[in-house]
Amino acid sequence: MSLTTPSEPGPPPAPEAGPSAGGAANGPSNDAPPRPPFAQDWRRIARMGAIGAIGQIFISLSNMPVKLDGRAIIEGVLSLGYLSLVVLPLAAGSRVGHQLRREGVPFHRPGAHEVIGGAACGALVGGGLSLLAILIANFDLREPLVNWSPILADLLAFNRGTAFAVLIWLAIGAAVGAAGGLLRVVPPAARRVLSTMVLTLFGAAVLESLTTDLAEGMGIEGLIEWFYAPRGGLTITGAIALAAGSGVLAFVARGRVKGAKARIDALEGPARNRAHLGLIMATAAVLVILPMFAGKLTNELLANVGLFVLLALGLNIVVGLAGILDLGYVAFFAVGSYSAAVLTAATSPKIHPELPWFVALIGVVVLTGLVGLFIGAPVIRMRGDYLAIVTLGFGEIIRLLFLSDWLSGWFGGSQGITNIPGAEIFGLAEVAGTDPRSVFYLVLAFCAIAIYVSWRLERSRIGRAWMAVREDETVAEAMGINTVNVKLLAFVVGAVLGSFSGAIFSAKVGSVFPASFLILVSIVILVVVIFGGMGNIVGVIAGSAVLIGVLGGPKQPGLLAEFSEFKLLIYGALLVWMMLARPEGLIPSVRRTRELHQEELAQDAWLRGQTEDEQDEGQP
Amino acid sequence: MSPAAQQPILETRGLGVDFGGLKALDGLDLAVYPGEIVSVIGPNGAGKTTLFNAITATVAASEGDILFEGESLIGLDPNRVTSRGIARTFQNVRLFANMTVLENVMVSQHCRTRQSVFGALLFTKAFRNEEAEITERGKEVLSFFGSRLTGYRFDQPAYTLSYANRRRLEIARAMATQPKLILLDEPVAGMNPTESAELTGLIGRLRDEWGFAIVVIEHDMEVVREVSDRVVVLDHGVKIAEGDYADVSADPQVIEAYLGRGASV
């Protein structure tokens, strides 16, 4: 399970909740009476407890609890630091009661068994911290483990001594684990209401700076002051009000949202297009109006998210549609930034045509396209792992070229190029980094272009050829597709979209340095695409919003600025969890889901097909 | 139906394929005439699929020449061979499993279509016309197999199809490339007798109604007897017999290749 709550604040059993909830409603025949409360599978509990305990110790020693203690979720009750210590007991407590629902295998109705098992497992997980408290009190391991400190000990003991720490974490673990087990017992409707409440509270706490900022823009600070404590975090009254409100809302709206979605999905032809158009227009309207009320920080954040959306959409074409695993995508971001800088800045060392930004953009597109061709031509002939490794190399080569002495006459080496003017749009407006709102609008416009390009190309002859190449390159070639050209085209289109992001980036920041284009950027964009849902435009946008917006980009702070130190740890944990629990991503493309669950689906389809074919044979 | 006066549509001259010393094909001469159905048979490892791979440029010929409509195919990429007018199916069904049935037959018309990125982005009239055209042709090809691949099946992913339907879709996909010659690699393998009898009929109709020349690799002798104008027998990469089914099946060399020396005595 993940080490963090931020992106999966709902109860971890959510993935299983669906099928078991559906099954319970239908009253399947293999329902069995609840298991007796104390006939537990102790080995399983011990195993999960031990793993959880190690996880807890790891989290503590990563210094996350101490660092994040400063950020309050609910004033005086819960901080992000302590939250990071109750996630694992909850997850383990819930997981230990998990049963597979399979044909022919009895499914025991959840009851006291699950709660007691959860409590036992949670206590073990919590016991990891008790153990750590004892160890810190008796040994000094500060030498290798820098966070082995009295501060951590005090945090664990709530400043009341080691004995208290030992007891309290066993108790907290047991309580939280029991709560996790209880999640399996309560009916699905209640679980939904509960998870909505938790999500709302957590969301409100995380989005604090955003909502405060917006409220100031709209002139309703008074309301916000009632919800948020002066030093951050929700006030207790505010939290209760929010929980109650969202709970009631979830109860009233139960099933309605899903129903509405199902109705839209069931629409056909023009009606469906109209519904989708309506949704898109509404989203666009919100995105256009929202920044007007938002302050600098929020707009800055939105602009950063937008830049990564643009990059992720470009990479999505390469990885998601054409199936070319490009680990050096940052190269195109870099080339876009540098070419825009050289073409617009007066301070560019070698040539400085000082073109207006929009004119320079043409040059940027042409140059990046050429670089895409130049890198792509040798790379594209390789397949699979080899291709990935070579792209990784090219990504670094481009950065090192910009850094090198050899080209420092052109690009300024490690000094980079500074004083890049803002983007001037036909003399109508000047978009500079000092005005994040206008930057956001510029990014938004280019995101719209990128979305349109992705959407149109996917539904064209070229998009189908990309899919065919992704499915089976040999067969695609045998079916008359020039795989080299088609893959090269994907590479170049992706490169051009990435270069837009680069060109806006250089105008926004006002300077470019080789250090802005580390390999880490490539990895983060790839993680965004995978996390969001490869091959799906909405998924990619959602991925950027969650990862870049909440956790922050490679150098850009997110809403949880406190996380910056643990960003990569959390990225990694999220990615691992995602690959295990939901490999198709946050908002998957239908195709991708099918691909990953093909075997299960094929089996169902085969069963259905059996009967259909028998009918077919009967007909002439 | 062997119009010897005509120019062959496909001709191999002394074709050899060498896998590091192992001669998978050795000095093979073969001619296929327009409107003809030729079966290639032979024991496992005789080089039948290698012959298909060499014709479609999936493996390189190490000697000899392959002529299609009088022009050499040597040195072409597989996709160029397809656009010249040769389409194939695969022995182990290889569909684009996650693409829909209709997309499978649309994508294989790639080499017959011309619209570029700009057509797609600007949504031009030419683009829309071309899309409509390939959709139409795709549906036409699928309806050749009756109602099995049509209707709601158009939008189902290919992997949901039953085994026999997958084989049918593979043939449809080959047909959609608008070929002049189709190479079918064991089209009825794994099918039940009813299905294979039906498909045998379809192979005949492919020639009669669509005008394709067809080369079939097949192990099912019922099918071979039913469809073939001519039968070519390969063994160890060498042609050991050629003629109509009755002649070939009586040929002692063929019997020996299949059953071994002692059995014929």
Side-chain angles (χ1 to χ4, degrees), chain B:
Chain B
M1 171 126 177
S2 181
Q6 242 176 313
Q7 190 201 17
I9 187 166
L10 177 81
E11 193 179 3
T12 68
R13 290 182 187 158
L15 179 66
V17 174
D18 215 329
F19 291 130
L22 174 77
K23 283 196 184 299
L25 282 179
D26 194 5
L28 182 70
D29 293 315
L30 178 75
V32 180
Y33 292 90
E36 198 183 20
I37 302 180
V38 175
S39 292
V40 177
I41 63 171
N44 289 328
K48 305 183 297 290
T49 299
T50 305
L51 171 65
F52 276 17
N53 286 343
I55 296 170
T56 56
T58 318
V59 302
S62 39
E63 57 188 51
D65 201 358
I66 305 169
L67 299 172
F68 183 68
E69 296 181 310
E71 285 176 60
S72 175
L73 296 179
I74 300 293
L76 290 184
D77 284 335
N79 63 302
R80 295 293 308 148
V81 173
T82 309
S83 59
R84 286 274 182 94
I86 300 180
R88 72 173 294 183
T89 66
F90 293 86
Q91 189 177 351
N92 46 342
V93 189
R94 283 171 86 172
L95 291 168
F96 301 123
N98 294 294
M99 297 174 75
T100 67
V101 169
L102 191 55
E103 279 172 341
N104 263 280
V105 288
M106 283 169 86
V107 77
S108 69
Q109 298 176 50
H110 191 85
C111 61
R112 306 289 170 215
T113 47
R114 288 287 153 263
Q115 284 300 313
S116 66
V117 174
F118 300 103
L121 291 186
L122 303 175
F123 208 47
T124 56
K125 191 150 176 51
F127 173 80
R128 277 174 287 158
N129 287 344
E130 194 184 88
E131 285 286 297
E133 212 174 285
I134 60 176
T135 313
E136 196 47 48
R137 191 172 301 122
K139 288 182 175 174
E140 187 193 326
V141 164
L142 290 173
S143 61
F144 178 69
F145 297 90
S147 61
R148 288 197 176 86
L149 299 175
T150 58
Y152 76 99
R153 288 258 165 86
F154 281 150
D155 298 319
Q156 295 215 315
Y159 70 80
T160 61
L161 297 177
S162 68
Y163 179 76
N165 278 341
R166 288 186 209 189
R167 284 228 171 263
R168 293 180 186 118
L169 179 55
E170 252 214 344
I171 298 174
R173 191 177 62 177
M175 290 162 69
T177 65
Q178 304 175 40
K180 291 166 189 152
L181 171 71
I182 291 195
L183 311 176
L184 300 174
D185 200 342
E186 300 198 23
V188 305
M191 287 191 171
N192 67 32
T194 332
E195 288 164 342
S196 78
E198 188 214 307
L199 200 65
T200 310
L202 284 182
I203 293 172
R205 278 179 55 207
L206 270 182
R207 188 247 325 259
D208 300 339
E209 293 171 21
W210 294 71
F212 302 136
I214 299 169
V215 181
V216 193
I217 293 176
E218 192 46 73
H219 279 300
D220 186 331
M221 288 305 149
E222 284 294 307
V223 179
V224 172
R225 188 179 60 197
E226 204 63 38
V227 302
S228 325
D229 297 319
R230 204 144 49 84
V231 179
V232 172
V233 190
L234 296 186
D235 190 25
H236 296 301
V238 181
K239 184 164 78 180
I240 56 169
E242 182 172 3
D244 62 25
Y245 180 80
D247 293 347
V248 164
S249 59
D251 190 309
Q253 245 189 310
V254 175
I255 295 168
E256 187 189 312
Y258 269 92
L259 300 175
R261 189 176 291 273
S264 56
V265 182

Side-chain angles (χ1 to χ4, degrees), chain A residues 563-582:
Chain A
F563 266 146
S564 59
E565 215 173 299
F566 309 104
K567 205 152 40 191
L568 293 182
L569 182 66
I570 294 167
Y571 274 7
L574 272 182
L575 199 61
V576 169
W577 174 74
M578 205 67 169
M579 289 296 102
L580 290 173
R582 204 179 156 86

Side-chain angles (χ1 to χ4, degrees), chain A residues 280-350:
Chain A
I280 293 168
M281 295 304 270
T283 318
V286 169
L287 284 175
V288 170
I289 295 167
L290 191 76
M292 295 182 186
F293 298 103
K296 243 181 176 163
L297 276 178
T298 308
N299 275 316
E300 173 82 24
L301 185 84
L302 287 174
N304 281 338
V305 171
L307 283 175
F308 274 89
V309 168
L310 205 45
L311 284 169
L313 283 170
L315 186 64
N316 183 47
I317 287 186
V318 183
V319 180
L321 295 188
I324 307 166
L325 183 55
D326 183 355
L327 297 179
Y329 190 66
V330 69
F332 304 124
F333 183 53
V335 172
S337 297
Y338 265 99
S339 50
V342 167
L343 292 175
T344 58
T347 47
S348 158
K350 187 87 172 185

Side-chain angles (χ1 to χ4, degrees), chain A residues 308 327 330 392 396 399 515-527 553-555 567-568 571:
Chain A
F308 274 89
L327 297 179
V330 69
L392 192 70
E396 275 294 271
R399 182 180 70 84
S516 309
F517 308 108
L518 296 176
I519 205 109
L520 181 63
V521 181
S522 292
I523 306 295
V524 167
I525 305 166
L526 189 65
V527 172
K555 290 205 166 153
K567 205 152 40 191
L568 293 182
Y571 274 7

